[in-house]
């Protein structure tokens, strides 16, 4: 990727209030089966929107998708940002820079509609599955790339949220 494009993407991350961002090797993204267990047993959004399991891409599909890309952008946000909306908007701008394969993964369940249609998405420009819904171990992926994340133990601690954009 040209340095001028990297500079434009960096500016987009800042515009969308990212704390930090890193261009990464997609091979550093860790995909496991257990994150979906946590979705199924422990999250009230399971099965309730098209971006969550069982509708989101399976871990096996995610591994295959990652193999299709040579570059990733891991973006670190605080808890005050609508992460999925931000990464979907960045994805659109990167697509317009002629990176026609650009796809993104957000954080948390899709909350764009009051109730998901569960058949055809009403806001396809902004609806993206979360990293964890697709089987990505967000903690291990952030740590692989020297970015911070840890389990919060009280409400005073600040949240570390991540989104991933695959580019080529
Ligand atoms: S945008 Fe609406 S219809 Fe699409 S996945 Fe999200 S909640 Fe469902």
């Amino acid at each position: 990727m040209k340095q001028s494009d990297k500079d434009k993407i960096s500016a987009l991350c800042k515009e969308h209030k990212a704390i930090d961002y890193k261009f990464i090797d997609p091979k550093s993204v860790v995909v496991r089966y257990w994150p979906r267990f946590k979705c199924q047993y422990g999250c009230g959004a399971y099965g309730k929107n098209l971006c969550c399991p069982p509708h989101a891409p399976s871990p096996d599909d995610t591994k295959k998708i990652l193999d299709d890309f040579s570059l990733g952008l891991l973006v670190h946000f605080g808890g005050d940002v609508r992460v999925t909306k931000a990464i979907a908007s960045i994805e659109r701008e990167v697509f317009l820079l002629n990176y026609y394969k650009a796809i993104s993964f957000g954080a948390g369940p899709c909350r764009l509609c009051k109730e998901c249609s569960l058949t055809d998405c009403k806001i396809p420009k902004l609806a993206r599955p979360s990293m964890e819904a697709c089987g990505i171990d967000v903690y291990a992926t952030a740590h692989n790339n020297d970015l911070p994340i840890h389990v919060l133990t009280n409400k005073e601690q600040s949240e570390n949220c991540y989104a991933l954009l695959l580019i080529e």
Side-chain angles (χ1 to χ4, degrees), residues 48-52 109-124 126-128:
K48 296 216 172 97
N49 68 77
L50 292 169
C51 294
C52 283
C110 185
R111 300 194 194 283
L112 292 169
C113 306
K114 214 169 176 188
E115 196 169 331
C116 185
S117 68
L118 289 178
T119 49
D120 53 332
C121 183
K122 303 298 176 205
I123 314 177
L126 293 176
R128 295 292 180 274

Side-chain angles (χ1 to χ4, degrees), residues 49-71:
N49 68 77
L50 292 169
C51 294
C52 283
H55 307 288
S58 69
D60 285 336
D61 284 343
T62 304
K63 285 179 191 174
K64 288 177 193 156
I65 291 166
L66 285 162
D67 284 345
D68 282 342
F69 288 85
S70 57
L71 186 63

Side-chain angles (χ1 to χ4, degrees), residues 2 23 41 47 49 61 72 77 80-81 84 106 130 133 146 155 163:
K2 292 183 287 181
F23 289 97
Y41 303 102
N49 68 77
D61 284 343
F77 293 97
D80 56 338
V81 175
T84 305
S130 67
D146 297 321
K155 287 189 176 154

